Amino acid sequence: MAVVMRFTPQGMTAAKYDECVKRLEQAGAGAPAGRLYHVCFGDKNNLRVSDIWDSRESFEKFRQTLTPIVQELGIDTGDPDFIEIYNIIEGARFGTAKP
């Protein structure tokens, strides 16, 4: 079952986020199996992260690599929220968007 995973860390700056991404790539986990979408958003001094995963189990496997990295960077991610996905629609299927 696909899930939305949301982190609302405290004080994750753009610099810390960029360093985290760099270290994940160096660890071979820049594009982990099972992660369908990743977005980082918000104020550059207090960013948030949401991902779409094919399953919670895929995220938990990735988390084994992620956790030590965020701890080294002093990012307190707290516990992520997991929400089961009912439906995904890609692109501009609805509305009046025209090419």
Side-chain angles (χ1 to χ4, degrees), residues 17-60:
Y17 172 80
D18 292 343
E19 182 63 21
C20 183
V21 169
K22 177 182 168 185
R23 291 185 188 192
L24 285 168
E25 289 173 357
Q26 290 171 344
R35 187 176 70 197
L36 306 175
Y37 301 96
H38 170 84
V39 295
C40 179
F41 57 95
D43 181 285
K44 290 184 180 181
N45 292 311
N46 197 25
L47 293 169
R48 298 179 185 182
V49 170
S50 292
D51 287 349
I52 308 286
W53 288 84
D54 65 357
S55 68
R56 185 170 178 160
E57 292 77 21
S58 292
F59 170 75
E60 293 298 341

Side-chain angles (χ1 to χ4, degrees), residues 5-94:
M5 183 282 311
R6 295 188 304 194
F7 276 123
T8 53
Q10 296 302 308
M12 183 169 69
T13 64
K16 287 182 179 181
Y17 172 80
D18 292 343
E19 182 63 21
C20 183
V21 169
K22 177 182 168 185
R23 291 185 188 192
L24 285 168
E25 289 173 357
Q26 290 171 344
R35 187 176 70 197
L36 306 175
Y37 301 96
H38 170 84
V39 295
C40 179
F41 57 95
D43 181 285
K44 290 184 180 181
N45 292 311
N46 197 25
L47 293 169
R48 298 179 185 182
V49 170
S50 292
D51 287 349
I52 308 286
W53 288 84
D54 65 357
S55 68
R56 185 170 178 160
E57 292 77 21
S58 292
F59 170 75
E60 293 298 341
K61 184 175 180 184
F62 168 71
R63 193 176 198 178
Q64 295 172 14
T65 303
L66 175 66
T67 297
I69 292 170
V70 296
Q71 288 175 342
E72 287 174 12
L73 294 172
I75 300 169
D76 179 8
T77 60
D79 290 326
D81 293 324
F82 288 95
I83 303 132
E84 289 186 6
I85 294 175
Y86 175 71
N87 189 27
I88 296 175
I89 298 173
E90 293 185 28
R93 181 172 158 191
F94 298 120

